[in-house]
Amino acid sequence: MASDFMSSTNALNVLHNTVKNYEKDVLQFYMANERATSKFTGRFDFKQFAKKMFDPIETEVLGPLYVGMLGECHTWMHSHQKSRVGANGFPHSFVSVPELLLNMILAYQLPQQRFVPNDIKDTKKDEPGSSDRSRQEGNKSDGEEGGSRKKRRNSQAAKRGKNVTINPRVTLSDELSVKLLEEMLKIPLAAESKLWKTAKYVLCPSNSPHQMEVFGEIIAKNTEDGLISFNALNYFMHDQVLTQHFKNPATILHALYLGPLNAQTVEVFAANRSAEFRRSCREVLRVAVRASKDPMTFQHSAPINIDKQHPDRVKYRDFIETVKQLVKDLNGEYQGSSGIHVGWACAAIKKFGQKRYVDKTWRDENYYDLLWTVLAQRPHLKKFVVDVLEKNYGDYEAAKFWRRMQPYQMHPTVIFNQNVITDDPLQPTEEFLNFSPQVQQILMVSTEKEIRDLHKLLEYKVSREEVVYVGVDAEWSAYVSPSKATILQMAFYDLVYILDLESHQISPESYHLFLSYLFDTKEVVKIGFQFGEDLHQLRAGFRNCATLYRPNNVLCVGKLIMDLVEEVSKLNHAEEFKRDHLPFLIDDPTVMAIGKEDDTKSVPNESISNDSVGDLGEPKPVKEESVKQQLMNKGLSYLCEKFLGKPLDKTEQCSVWDRRPLRNLQLRYAAMDAYCMLMLYDKCSEVFSKMGFEVKEFLDKQSPIRISLPLLSEEKL
């Protein structure tokens, strides 16, 4: 059947029809956009276009046809004397023929979504009192049910039905995935394209170690043969697993001759390698620097495996700029703009406007801070802000206020906002987790004297106590680029300190001394929650502080909780034990699944979830993960609710953390994020002791955090 099909409808013919249909459909799309009144009309839908072209083709033929069409691209382009296709008059519609196919294949191979309504029996309508009960339930959901309006809407949507994730028609075998990978690696893409993230998932959704091993070998070989695009090489050099398959440090030079390689990719590429490998990486960078000095050296230093006709091969002027910026960034001399990206700024204004006006999960002071810091960095967005307030949310008073403001005179972190809540941060609330009565104060550390006093206090505690437990957390602003930690929270049992990491009244030497002592001292047990990202943000601000790369005794309370739940699940009387000591865990489906034999098995063909569709309507990748990992992924607030009885108030999570001074609600949020670590640790310690365990034996099982130092910190170029 397959051979008959291919003989009558070969890959080249299908490719030709695909290009013709794309040119026609994309022209209609952009012409419709021109006639549309809305400014935001979206992008061309490759998923629907792929369905139009691929749905009529038989399933058993389609997989090999993918490979055949990609292989015929150069034949088609040569015979038609054009490499890019699109709609005349609309430059944004033009893509290369291989890129067109790549977009189509990836869109078609992603899981599809189908809404399945719940079965509602008509008999319920006829039951006595059913209408009264419905009214009562409706009133409860509108008024008495806890949580935000968004949560209530999601709950009501769940009653109507659920999204079913349907796997793609074509199941890619290992052999077919390998063939597709080899073809896709050659496709030139824009440097900023994110398609390889999707491609990796489509080709290997399970992240199978064996398949990743095979992929790594193919990627390394194609690099050596010069058959890889810059976008693919850059992505895989940045992938912490696959980058280990590049055994030659000269891969850095290879990438530099293909595109704008950045410092972060080089650091990931060189991380966790031998000292000899890292020395060789520095030598390769020296070669690149010399090559940027004159055109002749640039020509002679070019890797011999990169063809002169390679579509991504860079010109000398671009190479100079890339190398210059790369060396500066590797030395920590970032010279780029720290302003928020315009696209993210516009998205944030609309996204958090939804939270303020529709979901009601943000207060006026949160949205005010966001608009202030965005306009202070991007004053030209003033009209956009006013339009969103008026047209999207009908807040004409706020629009009038911001229309009068002068963004060029505003400072992004010195925010004047008189309408803020001034309640005591330690004041208890009914809905959310509260501080223990023994907490006396939340103290901001922002001067030289205050950081020295904190340092002395820590040293005093270490001298008097065998072990000092400290809850730690860090916050950073999402509205600057690049981001870095702006505060570090440290919670003791009686006091919570918030260290201002951007204070001009604290010297760099004092920061370095304090952070080195805190993270190097083994007697100080730092308890955090998935603290790796916090450390990354701390290193962004203090890149030369070596102890932030190899800290001692930084422990994750989430891992401790996973161990605890697993031990509880092994008890013969687990339900009775939970009822006595962990009452909030009773009947929790995630926790109940832990300990069962099938808790880590593969994803079924149809998985039902209300959260299975991403923000842009694309299916989220379905990962195979243990139930214990699912418990961790639910977040810190969920763990607090299940183990301590109340969730955290996450309203301030995305607030402007580099503003000074912090608002009282920010102080409360930041302090509680660190203090709840101690509360969770104490709860775990108590429950472990009830089972006859020492909590220390589980803490000792956690692996230490070890990160390579910056490449040029060991030796300058």
Side-chain angles (χ1 to χ4, degrees):
M1 178 70 72
S3 60
D4 292 340
F5 178 87
M6 291 300 289
S7 63
S8 59
T9 313
N10 61 39
L12 192 57
N13 287 339
V14 178
L15 176 59
H16 181 70
N17 290 334
T18 299
V19 172
K20 282 179 61 180
N21 277 275
Y22 174 71
E23 290 177 332
K24 183 180 71 173
D25 288 9
V26 80
L27 177 62
Q28 292 175 353
F29 173 79
Y30 278 99
M31 288 183 69
N33 277 4
E34 279 198 334
R35 294 192 297 269
T37 55
S38 171
K39 220 159 82 172
F40 307 101
T41 50
R43 300 177 182 177
F44 182 75
D45 191 346
F46 282 104
K47 181 188 293 185
Q48 292 304 317
F49 180 66
K51 285 175 67 64
K52 171 184 172 181
M53 300 306 302
F54 292 153
D55 275 355
I57 300 173
E58 297 177 23
T59 302
E60 63 268 22
V61 171
L62 193 51
L65 187 64
Y66 290 159
V67 180
M69 291 173 71
L70 287 169
E72 293 287 1
C73 283
H74 287 288
T75 303
W76 189 94
M77 291 187 292
H78 179 74
S79 63
H80 289 77
Q81 293 297 301
K82 59 180 179 180
S83 59
R84 296 175 67 78
V85 294
N88 291 328
F90 300 97
H92 293 297
S93 70
F94 278 83
V95 293
S96 69
V97 177
E99 186 179 352
L100 168 62
L101 288 180
L102 180 62
N103 275 290
M104 291 173 61
I105 293 169
L106 296 183
Y108 198 69
Q109 285 300 125
L110 283 171
Q112 306 296 312
Q113 296 296 319
R114 185 175 68 200
F115 183 78
V116 177
N118 289 333
D119 292 330
I120 303 175
K121 296 182 180 179
D122 293 335
T123 53
K124 285 188 176 180
K125 298 179 182 178
D126 302 327
E127 291 177 3
S130 61
S131 58
D132 295 335
R133 282 199 303 273
S134 299
R135 258 194 311 273
Q136 291 169 5
E137 289 173 2
N139 292 337
K140 181 178 178 182
S141 66
D142 291 336
E144 297 173 12
E145 187 177 299
S148 66
R149 289 190 181 185
K150 185 176 181 181
K151 288 182 179 178
R152 291 198 292 274
R153 285 202 311 271
N154 289 342
S155 175
Q156 291 162 7
K159 294 173 184 175
R160 292 194 297 270
K162 296 185 178 181
N163 288 319
V164 178
T165 304
I166 308 296
N167 282 349
R169 282 177 60 206
V170 180
T171 301
L172 300 180
S173 65
D174 290 353
E175 181 183 358
L176 188 56
S177 293
V178 165
K179 289 180 180 179
L180 282 171
L181 175 66
E182 290 176 331
E183 293 294 337
M184 290 176 176
L185 288 173
K186 307 170 190 174
I187 300 175
L189 300 169
E192 64 274 10
S193 172
K194 306 296 183 186
L195 278 179
W196 268 106
K197 182 177 181 181
T198 306
K200 181 188 171 188
Y201 168 71
V202 165
L203 295 175
C204 187
S206 65
N207 273 331
S208 159
H210 171 70
Q211 189 78 339
M212 287 293 104
E213 184 79 20
V214 174
F215 280 10
E217 293 172 1
I218 291 170
I219 293 162
K221 184 178 185 306
N222 277 44
T223 303
E224 291 172 7
D225 296 341
L227 300 175
I228 191 168
S229 69
F230 172 75
N231 190 279
L233 180 57
N234 185 60
Y235 177 81
F236 291 117
M237 285 178 70
H238 199 90
D239 186 285
Q240 294 184 352
V241 175
L242 292 170
T243 192
Q244 299 299 317
H245 291 276
F246 294 109
K247 305 299 182 184
N248 190 350
T251 304
I252 293 174
L253 190 65
H254 189 120
L256 282 168
Y257 271 81
L258 294 181
L261 186 66
N262 62 48
Q264 193 176 10
T265 300
V266 173
E267 292 288 7
V268 173
F269 176 77
N272 304 315
R273 306 276 197 157
S274 67
E276 180 60 34
F277 187 93
R278 290 170 67 81
R279 273 195 297 272
S280 297
C281 288
R282 288 189 288 272
E283 189 54 46
V284 169
L285 289 170
R286 292 186 183 100
V287 171
V289 171
R290 288 195 293 270
S292 68
K293 299 299 183 184
D294 68 87
M296 191 66 70
T297 310
F298 170 73
Q299 293 292 340
H300 288 312
S301 301
I304 59 174
N305 55 351
I306 300 180
D307 191 276
K308 289 185 178 180
Q309 304 304 316
H310 193 294
D312 284 341
R313 183 156 175 157
V314 298
K315 296 179 180 178
Y316 177 58
R317 289 183 179 277
D318 296 329
F319 183 82
I320 293 174
E321 291 302 316
T322 297
V323 172
K324 183 180 177 181
Q325 189 62 52
L326 175 64
V327 173
K328 279 185 176 181
D329 292 347
L330 287 172
N331 281 318
E333 304 168 10
Y334 182 78
Q335 301 295 319
S337 169
S338 61
I340 184 173
H341 187 277
V342 174
W344 164 229
C346 294
I349 289 166
K350 292 195 288 186
K351 174 183 177 180
F352 294 111
Q354 172 88 7
K355 287 180 177 287
R356 161 64 187 88
Y357 292 102
V358 181
D359 300 336
K360 306 292 186 183
T361 55
W362 257 33
R363 303 178 181 88
D364 279 333
E365 58 189 279
N366 298 95
Y367 200 46
Y368 182 100
D369 281 3
L370 170 67
L371 296 181
W372 180 293
T373 194
V374 166
L375 289 179
Q377 297 175 71
R378 304 294 181 192
H380 67 279
L381 291 179
K382 177 177 173 179
K383 184 179 183 305
F384 178 82
V385 168
V386 172
D387 285 348
V388 168
L389 289 171
E390 286 183 341
K391 298 175 182 177
N392 292 35
Y393 305 116
D395 192 341
Y396 297 99
E397 283 299 316
K400 181 179 178 182
F401 173 84
W402 289 106
R403 188 180 281 112
R404 292 199 308 263
M405 296 296 284
Q406 301 298 321
Y408 289 98
Q409 300 175 12
M410 293 157 54
H411 192 281
T413 61
V414 182
I415 299 176
F416 297 99
N417 185 356
Q418 298 179 345
N419 300 316
V420 299
I421 295 174
T422 57
D423 295 345
D424 181 359
L426 293 176
Q427 181 177 322
T429 66
E430 292 185 7
E431 190 177 355
F432 301 107
L433 189 65
N434 293 307
F435 294 95
S436 164
Q438 68 184 112
V439 178
Q440 303 168 12
Q441 210 172 356
I442 299 171
L443 298 172
M444 193 77 184
V445 178
S446 54
T447 67
E448 192 75 25
K449 180 182 182 304
E450 289 168 347
I451 194 172
R452 287 178 182 172
D453 288 346
L454 178 56
H455 195 155
K456 290 176 183 177
L457 173 66
L458 199 55
E459 289 178 330
Y460 175 77
K461 284 180 173 289
V462 169
S463 68
R464 296 292 299 269
E465 303 171 27
E466 185 178 343
V467 179
V468 178
Y469 293 101
V470 182
V472 290
D473 190 47
E475 304 295 343
W476 53 92
S477 177
Y479 314 113
V480 294
S481 178
S483 63
K484 61 180 180 179
T486 182
I487 59 171
L488 172 67
Q489 306 98 282
M490 297 173 50
F492 299 102
Y493 283 100
D494 56 346
L495 289 168
V496 181
Y497 290 90
I498 298 178
L499 174 59
D500 185 351
L501 298 174
E502 297 185 335
S503 174
H504 297 297
Q505 299 181 57
I506 300 178
S507 67
E509 293 76 20
S510 294
Y511 277 128
H512 185 89
L513 282 173
F514 178 77
L515 292 173
S516 297
Y517 181 80
L518 172 64
F519 287 100
D520 191 47
T521 306
K522 294 181 179 179
E523 291 80 10
V524 179
V525 177
K526 282 74 66 175
I527 304 172
F529 178 73
Q530 298 181 331
F531 199 66
E533 178 60 22
D534 301 68
L535 282 170
H536 173 76
Q537 296 292 339
L538 286 167
R539 289 191 291 269
F542 304 93
R543 70 188 308 273
N544 294 321
C545 185
T547 54
L548 293 175
Y549 298 85
R550 294 178 172 270
N552 290 316
N553 260 356
V554 173
L555 304 172
C556 179
V557 74
K559 293 180 180 178
L560 189 63
I561 287 173
M562 289 189 346
D563 289 336
L564 174 66
V565 173
E566 186 171 18
E567 292 300 327
V568 170
S569 69
K570 294 176 183 177
L571 298 175
N572 294 330
H573 55 291
E575 290 305 312
E576 182 182 341
F577 185 88
K578 280 192 286 187
R579 192 160 39 250
D580 293 339
H581 304 290
L582 297 167
F584 304 107
L585 284 183
I586 296 174
D587 298 330
D588 184 274
T590 306
V591 175
M592 289 174 69
I594 293 179
K596 296 181 180 180
E597 292 181 359
D598 59 348
D599 64 350
T600 60
K601 301 306 177 187
S602 59
V603 179
N605 288 335
E606 295 189 2
S607 55
I608 299 178
S609 169
N610 283 319
D611 301 321
S612 56
V613 181
D615 294 337
L616 300 177
E618 296 180 356
K620 295 179 181 177
V622 181
K623 298 180 180 179
E624 294 183 13
E625 56 185 18
S626 68
V627 179
K628 290 197 295 183
Q629 189 60 45
Q630 291 177 32
L631 185 65
M632 280 275 278
N633 291 345
K634 286 179 180 287
L636 184 60
S637 179
Y638 171 85
L639 295 179
C640 286
E641 183 176 9
K642 294 301 177 182
F643 285 83
L644 303 175
K646 287 186 177 181
L648 298 173
D649 183 356
K650 305 300 285 185
T651 305
E652 299 291 339
Q653 185 175 28
C654 296
S655 63
V656 181
W657 285 108
D658 55 352
R659 70 157 287 167
R660 295 296 181 268
L662 294 176
R663 294 177 285 102
N664 281 14
L665 290 178
Q666 286 181 297
L667 291 173
R668 176 185 173 83
Y669 173 91
M672 180 53 79
D673 255 20
Y675 190 75
C676 72
M677 307 295 176
L678 297 179
M679 300 172 74
L680 287 168
Y681 170 79
D682 286 347
K683 184 65 177 179
C684 289
S685 181
E686 173 195 331
V687 177
F688 271 127
S689 66
K690 298 290 184 184
M691 293 188 288
F693 294 112
E694 285 289 337
V695 68
K696 187 177 183 302
E697 62 183 278
F698 294 94
L699 293 177
D700 291 343
K701 290 195 304 183
Q702 295 194 21
S703 302
I705 296 172
R706 295 292 179 262
I707 303 294
S708 296
L709 289 165
L711 185 61
L712 299 188
S713 68
E714 301 162 356
E715 181 186 350
K716 298 296 181 183
L717 295 182

